[in-house]
């Protein structure tokens, strides 16, 4: 048994701590195939595991190598559910990105439980291993299939606000968090262009008071700034609270929030966001649309599809916003998203804008998704969207009216007057 390089202290002996055992299975065919090269690959696997686990662990957590590609880890700063998500993500990365999708023999076994932590590092490995094997929930992960747990998973509680606690407090908290950054929170209608109506609200950060200065989109306004994950989770909580308000009045409205591609690309923030999302509850009459924002050009299609598959609890759908709609040319696999969209090039002439919008509609149809466009700020771009049969849109050419989420819930659907002004009834 080998201890991790840093000899961190675990919690007191009478405290419980979420722990997990990760074990790579089915290595024999790989070792035979690689022969002498196996030792080098084994070192690489160890480094990948150590890096991923270190990014997720806190200063008082533990990481122990039991034997060849078998580990025991503790996650004192995560819940049991978050620990399960963390280990599943580690296992998926090992199976898919290291061994490839053509090696069916390789899998990763995880066993997760809340155990009493030893008070000395020297006792940790054997004691935790025995406790996990005795009491843990076992799952086998492969590159394509994840087995059902062999024991029922323990019920855990999350530390995220829920609509049951308050229907207003999470929304106020989201306002306060953005105010610290000099931003505001708004619920903006997403307009169905042909019908001139809206049954969905996009909850997002915005800046600017005048019509010409209005800029929306949390990831666009904050970029890769560290606190963005906290803001994105607060938006989830606010959306769940508002959905409960709408539901309480027997009204129908979909809520949408954004999460940046960079957030999902970061291992630790992705686990936090997934855990928060799974702690939320959205009724079928008020579903949630999670928009993956600012997908960069060159983003691997398989990675995008993986993110979509992760973010699909009950009554949750995923939409995709591309930094450049030109990148849709290269999409040739099924992404699994409900909608595809982005923004027309600001300086594009009408011909190029129309070609881009029509390509978006065609690609969305091929993906069995609907199309949408953001920042329809000029009459010309709005005309292009209508000509190309874009289904949903949002921008200055439609209206800048939005809600705070704290006022009385309006009657849905919202109606848009012919001139572009909005009648909110």
């Amino acid at each position: 048994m080998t201890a991790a390089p840093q000899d961190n202290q675990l919690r007191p002996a009478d405290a419980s701590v979420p722990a997990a055992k990760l074990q790579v299975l089915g290595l024999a065919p790989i070792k035979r195939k690689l022969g002498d090269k196996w030792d080098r690959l084994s070192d690489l696997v160890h480094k990948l595991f150590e890096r991923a686990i270190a990014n997720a662990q806190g200063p008082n957590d533990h990481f122990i190598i039991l034997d060849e590609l078998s580990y025991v880890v503790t996650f004192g700063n995560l819940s049991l559910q978050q620990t399960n998500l963390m280990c599943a993500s580690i296992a998926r990365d090992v199976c898919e990105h290291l061994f490839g999708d053509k090696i069916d023999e390789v899998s990763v076994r995880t066993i997760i439980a809340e155990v009493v932590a030893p008070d000395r590092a020297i006792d940790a490995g054997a004691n935790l291993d025995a406790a996990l094997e005795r009491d843990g929930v076992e799952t086998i992960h492969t590159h394509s299939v994840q087995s059902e747990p062999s024991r029922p998973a323990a019920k855990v509680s999350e530390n995220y606000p829920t609509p049951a606690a308050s229907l207003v407090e999470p929304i106020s908290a989201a306002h306060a968090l953005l105010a610290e950054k000099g931003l505001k929170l708004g619920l903006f209608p997403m307009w169905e262009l042909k019908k001139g109506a809206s049954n969905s609200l996009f909850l997002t950060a915005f800046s600017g008071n005048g019509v010409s200065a209005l800029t929306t989109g949390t990831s666009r306004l904050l970029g890769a700034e560290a606190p963005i994950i906290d803001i994105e989770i607060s938006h989830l909580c606010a959306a769940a609270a508002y959905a409960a308000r709408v539901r309480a009045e027997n009204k129908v409205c979909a809520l949408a929030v954004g999460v940046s591609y960079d957030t999902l690309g970061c291992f630790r923030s992705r686990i936090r966001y997934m855990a928060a999302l799974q702690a939320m509850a959205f009724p079928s009459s008020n579903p949630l649309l999670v928009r993956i924002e600012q997908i960069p050009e060159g983003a691997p299609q398989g990675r995008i599809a993986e993110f979509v598959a992760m973010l699909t609890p009950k009554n949750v759908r995923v939409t995709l916003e591309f930094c450049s709609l030109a990148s849709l040319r290269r999409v040739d696999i099924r992404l699994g998203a409900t909608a595809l969209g982005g923004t027309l090039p600001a300086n594009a002439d009408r011909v190029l804008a129309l070609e881009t919008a029509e390509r978006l509609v065609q690609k969305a149809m091929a993906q069995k998704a609907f199309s949408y466009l953001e920042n329809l700020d000029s009459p010309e771009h709005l005309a292009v969207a209508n000509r190309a049969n874009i289904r949903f849109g949002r921008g200055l050419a439609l209206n800048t009216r939005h809600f705070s989420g704290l006022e009385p819930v309006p009657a849905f659907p919202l109606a848009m007057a012919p001139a572009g002004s909005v009648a909110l009834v």
Side-chain angles (χ1 to χ4, degrees):
M1 179 181 73
T2 305
Q6 54 183 23
D7 189 13
N8 296 321
Q9 294 297 315
L10 293 174
R11 292 180 175 182
D14 60 348
S16 295
V17 59
K21 178 178 179 179
L22 297 97
Q23 183 179 13
V24 182
L25 305 177
L27 290 174
I30 307 299
K31 293 173 70 173
R32 286 197 300 268
K33 182 177 179 179
L34 294 176
D36 295 339
K37 296 180 181 179
W38 167 248
D39 289 338
R40 185 172 57 189
L41 179 60
S42 178
D43 290 340
L44 175 60
V45 176
H46 280 308
K47 290 178 181 178
L48 291 175
F49 266 106
E50 290 178 16
R51 184 182 307 165
I53 293 170
N55 287 338
Q57 288 188 315
N60 296 321
D61 292 332
H62 220 61
F63 167 52
I64 298 166
I65 302 174
L66 293 177
D67 48 44
E68 187 176 60
L69 302 189
S70 181
Y71 313 88
V72 166
V73 293
T74 64
F75 295 101
N77 61 331
L78 300 181
S79 69
L80 201 61
Q81 183 181 15
Q82 289 172 313
T83 298
N84 183 48
L85 291 169
M86 183 70 71
C87 292
S89 187
I90 293 171
R92 187 184 302 108
D93 286 344
V94 170
C95 293
E96 293 182 358
H97 301 299
L98 185 62
F99 296 114
D101 61 0
K102 298 183 182 302
I103 301 178
D104 296 327
E105 299 92 342
V106 176
S107 58
V108 176
R109 174 180 181 246
T110 64
I111 307 178
I112 298 167
E114 194 165 89
V115 300
V116 175
D119 58 355
R120 295 193 307 157
I122 194 170
D123 299 329
N127 290 358
L128 289 178
D129 186 20
L132 286 164
E133 290 288 351
R134 182 184 65 247
D135 302 324
V137 176
E138 178 189 64
T139 305
I140 305 297
H141 307 265
T142 69
H143 74 270
S144 58
V145 177
Q146 177 174 311
S147 70
E148 293 296 325
S150 59
R151 303 181 182 91
K155 294 183 179 179
V156 297
S157 61
E158 296 294 339
N159 296 320
Y160 300 106
T162 63
S166 169
L167 299 186
V168 175
E169 183 180 353
I171 303 173
S172 298
H175 276 279
L177 191 57
L178 282 177
E180 295 176 2
K181 303 295 178 185
L183 301 174
K184 301 176 183 179
L185 179 71
L187 282 76
F188 292 81
M190 287 291 296
W191 297 104
E192 191 164 3
L193 298 181
K194 295 298 184 185
K195 295 182 179 180
S198 175
N199 261 104
S200 59
L201 298 176
F202 181 45
L203 189 152
T204 183
F206 74 97
S207 65
N209 296 318
V211 171
S212 62
L214 185 68
T215 303
T216 65
T218 308
S219 61
R220 282 184 291 276
L221 291 169
L222 290 174
E225 190 176 340
I228 191 171
I229 177 61
D230 297 318
I231 292 173
E232 289 168 337
I233 288 176
S234 77
H235 287 182
L236 273 179
C237 298
Y242 195 79
R245 291 191 63 198
V246 176
R247 174 67 173 173
E249 298 190 20
N250 294 316
K251 297 176 180 178
V252 177
C253 173
L255 278 300
V257 295
V259 59
S260 75
Y261 183 86
D262 287 341
T263 290
L264 297 178
C266 173
F267 190 82
R268 190 169 185 176
S269 62
R270 178 170 74 246
I271 294 300
R272 285 190 61 200
Y273 193 84
M274 289 165 56
L277 180 61
Q278 292 194 353
M280 301 292 109
F282 290 88
S284 58
S285 59
N286 310 105
L288 178 71
L289 301 176
V290 176
R291 177 184 296 180
I292 302 178
E293 298 181 324
Q294 297 291 283
I295 299 174
E297 288 194 70
Q301 296 178 47
R303 192 64 165 163
I304 298 172
E306 182 181 4
F307 289 161
V308 172
M310 290 179 185
L311 302 172
T312 53
K314 186 178 181 181
N315 297 327
V316 175
R317 303 292 182 267
V318 180
T319 66
L320 304 177
E321 178 197 71
F322 295 87
C323 287
S324 171
L325 291 175
S327 61
L328 287 173
R329 295 177 182 270
R330 295 183 291 276
V331 174
D332 56 8
I333 68 170
R334 183 73 181 274
L335 299 176
T338 298
L340 307 180
T343 302
L344 292 175
N347 299 321
D349 60 33
R350 191 175 185 281
V351 173
L352 177 58
L354 183 58
E355 289 178 354
T356 302
E358 289 177 340
R359 186 186 311 117
L360 170 60
V361 171
Q362 293 168 2
K363 189 62 68 172
M365 291 177 62
Q367 293 277 325
K368 297 184 178 180
F370 63 78
S371 57
Y372 72 90
L373 282 175
E374 289 287 329
N375 298 346
L376 294 175
D377 294 340
S378 68
E380 293 77 16
H381 277 183
L382 178 57
V384 164
N386 283 317
R387 174 74 181 274
N389 291 317
I390 296 291
R391 184 171 177 185
F392 289 91
R394 191 168 67 92
L396 301 180
L398 294 164
N399 198 266
T400 60
R401 177 67 186 273
H402 57 274
F403 303 95
S404 69
L406 302 174
E407 67 275 280
V409 175
F412 293 97
L414 308 176
M416 183 171 61
S421 60
V422 182
L424 298 177
V425 294

